[in-house]
Amino acid sequence: MSQSGPLAGLPAAQLPAFADRLLMGLGMQLRSMPVELRINAWLAERFPELREVQAVMVRRQLQENARALDTRASVPGKVFRASIAMNAATALYWAGVLQDDALAAPYRQAGYLIDGRSLLKTWHTMDAAPEADRALIDAWATALNVRRWFQWLPYAAPPRELVPVAGGPT
């Protein structure tokens, strides 16, 4: 059976590594983007003097995120759609905060605002406390229909005391 779509031409031996890379990237995006929005909202509220710098950095990041729209042909559809939905949610959030609808325009033109709005609505309804980050990430994963692709690893709290590293300065 021959492959078609984004995997066409990829040697079979490279498929597992390609799939792992895609899954790791999507997982990183999933655990980062909704929480990053929370952190940015907190920064804007607590440190209004940083808003101008924050806006410049966000605009750069949004431009970089929009470039992912060009990867449609090289990424399997479900992974692409989930990733772009998170980018669209982020763009919609900042379009509202910065009162600049042009920030969401790439996703509007490509037809991904519905998915982005759905994620952003979920984001707005979740508890903003850091303790709720995991639930927020799970909610986005569920909304994107990728929850079964990921599992939480047990968290081991770091030690409460500083201990010297072997071979360190004496």
Side-chain angles (χ1 to χ4, degrees):
M1 176 180 256
S2 67
Q3 297 173 352
S4 63
L7 304 180
L10 191 65
Q14 292 180 5
L15 286 174
F18 179 72
D20 284 347
R21 223 175 15 254
L22 284 175
L23 197 58
M24 292 297 286
L26 186 64
M28 185 180 303
Q29 186 180 11
L30 181 59
R31 75 172 190 255
S32 301
M33 287 188 110
V35 175
E36 186 178 294
L37 288 177
R38 293 267 187 244
I39 292 167
N40 275 305
W42 178 83
L43 283 171
E45 182 181 316
R46 294 283 298 246
F47 302 99
E49 65 274 15
L50 297 177
R51 284 188 186 155
E52 192 172 312
V53 172
Q54 187 181 38
V56 169
M57 298 308 295
V58 162
R59 287 177 188 281
R60 283 187 197 152
Q61 185 63 50
L62 292 175
Q63 285 178 339
E64 185 175 321
N65 290 356
R67 286 191 212 122
L69 287 163
D70 297 333
T71 66
R72 183 179 195 135
S74 61
V75 178
K78 194 168 183 179
V79 173
F80 178 82
R81 186 176 182 118
S83 177
I84 294 302
M86 289 187 275
N87 288 353
T90 301
L92 283 165
Y93 171 81
W94 286 107
V97 169
L98 300 175
Q99 299 179 352
D100 183 356
D101 288 338
L103 297 174
Y107 305 98
R108 181 179 306 103
Q109 292 165 356
Y112 291 99
L113 283 189
I114 291 172
D115 294 338
R117 280 190 187 108
S118 175
L119 290 177
L120 193 55
K121 181 179 179 184
T122 299
W123 183 85
H124 280 293
T125 62
M126 301 291 294
D127 183 358
E131 297 79 22
D133 286 351
R134 199 167 170 164
L136 174 61
I137 293 165
D138 279 339
W140 274 33
T142 299
L144 294 167
N145 199 24
V146 298
R147 179 62 189 97
R148 64 182 179 82
W149 295 0
F150 301 99
Q151 68 181 16
W152 287 101
L153 297 177
Y155 175 72
R160 289 284 206 202
E161 59 196 64
L162 287 176
V163 290
V165 176
T170 55

